[in-house]
Amino acid sequence: MRVWFDEREAAGRLGVSVAAWRWAVASGLVPPADAALGVWSREVVEAADPEAVRAALRLLDAWEAADRLTRALGEPLVWRPGVTASAVGHLVRAGLLAGLGGPPDTPSVHGDQVDALARRRDLPALLDRHVPLGPDQASRRLGVRRTDLDAVVRLGWIEPVSTAEIPYARSRGGATTVPLYSALDVALLPVVRPSVDWRAVRAARPGARSLLTGQEPAAPGGGRLLLAEVARICAVGRAAVVNWRRRHADFPAPTGGTDPHPEFGRAAMVAWLLDHDKITVPGAPEASPLTVTGAGGERRMRLYDVALDLVHDAAGEDRLSAWCTEADADALADLAAGDCGATVLRLAVPGTAPLAVTGEVRVLSHHRSGEGAGLRLTLAWPAGLRGASAWTPRGGDGLVRHGVPFAAPGEACRCARHDCAGLTPDPWCTEHGTAVAPVMEWHPGEGIRCADLTRRRTGAALRTAPERPDGPGPRPGREPGIPDDRSATPRHPAAASYGADVQ
């Protein structure tokens, strides 16, 4: 009488599939092998419930699992390749999923386990760490064109970690060996090579020469780093790196140089910095909300990796470059197609105050750059129209205009004042919150026009404006144009419609 069973024999003994038995073991429904590696005793096999083992299996092939994980990553706009069936095989080999049968490279897995993995917040980091990328996927992860990735490989900045055989039809030359690169190495390139203008590389138009052509090739073995170069990678001072070296016993040992200027192996140093959270793997580019109105109505969209070029001359032209989806690019082109162009009601870019632009916003270009699913968009508008987007008395966000009164405001004026001697009218102000609008020269607030008007205007409003005890700006604790209590009812009949104008 047989006293031990391997997985196939155990599944046959219970009358279930091998995949069902494997999942029962992986999920703990069946105890682990107790007779030997991959071998169960007769007592364990016969104690298992065949119906429970059979009912627990919800088989998912590698392609369906890859689709679920790709959807979990969100909108595949830029810098994140989708999950492939072969990537599921790498996740199985990494122990993150249980292989339940099928080809080793594209195994079947359990749907519940895939869903649990898809819910993990560190899913992008797990994919970067365990799933290598082919050339096209690597260029997508870096957000550059394939020709730029080829330049990176020629420079020796990344090296293949393995290869894969891709079968093609005989008419295409048969099987082809494709190099695979570490997704972590690819993602860290903008961090460990800070001398490169990666934003410009990512924005390069198709057919243009690669900006990486003139870069310095890496020395054999990845090259060496001085302490100053390590500091630049981490965006800290050299003294901070010296302190890390002194305090951490596992700091990489020098591989060359001198005592005052030691040199360290690049690969070992990058690994140490990553393990000690001195650097982080770049994730998806940060989204900047944009609200635009034009001849075709209003649209809210998201821009990614926004680069603003704001000029100082009011007669000049501001420009914006960013990634967006094809649908948003087409919609924005339609809105700007009118005689007056589009109006930006609100653009919130990290590091700047919310911007707004009244009309004349044009789409200079939009093109596909790199292997991403989005487009690189370029907008332009006259700099003199740029203003601030902020809360207004009528509610919502819009373009706040400063008013420069032709009569100097009195002592009791509560309006927020600005360096250009302009006011953001406050509906609670007893002087400017009346039904009779004062005569003012309007211009966009928080823009370069403020300084421009300061130079041009020499009237009584500039010469005789009384000084506030708390200075020329808005009172402490209040934003320009925002009442102390937004929920209060205005004192004047026209307060709901008069004040900071929304264009």
Side-chain angles (χ1 to χ4, degrees), residues 22-77:
R22 288 177 177 173
W23 175 248
V25 175
S27 61
L29 188 60
V30 171
D34 60 337
L37 182 63
V39 178
W40 288 262
S41 65
R42 183 185 185 90
E43 291 77 11
V44 170
V45 174
E46 292 184 345
D49 183 357
E51 291 301 323
V53 171
R54 193 177 294 111
L57 180 65
R58 281 178 287 280
L59 205 60
L60 205 65
D61 66 36
W63 287 267
E64 293 175 295
D67 288 341
R68 290 191 187 185
L69 294 176
T70 297
R71 289 195 297 270
L73 292 174
E75 186 178 30
L77 183 61

Side-chain angles (χ1 to χ4, degrees), residues 214-236:
Q215 293 293 320
E216 187 73 20
R224 298 174 180 176
L225 291 172
L226 294 170
L227 289 176
E229 294 173 307
V230 176
R232 186 178 181 187
I233 289 175
C234 302
V236 297

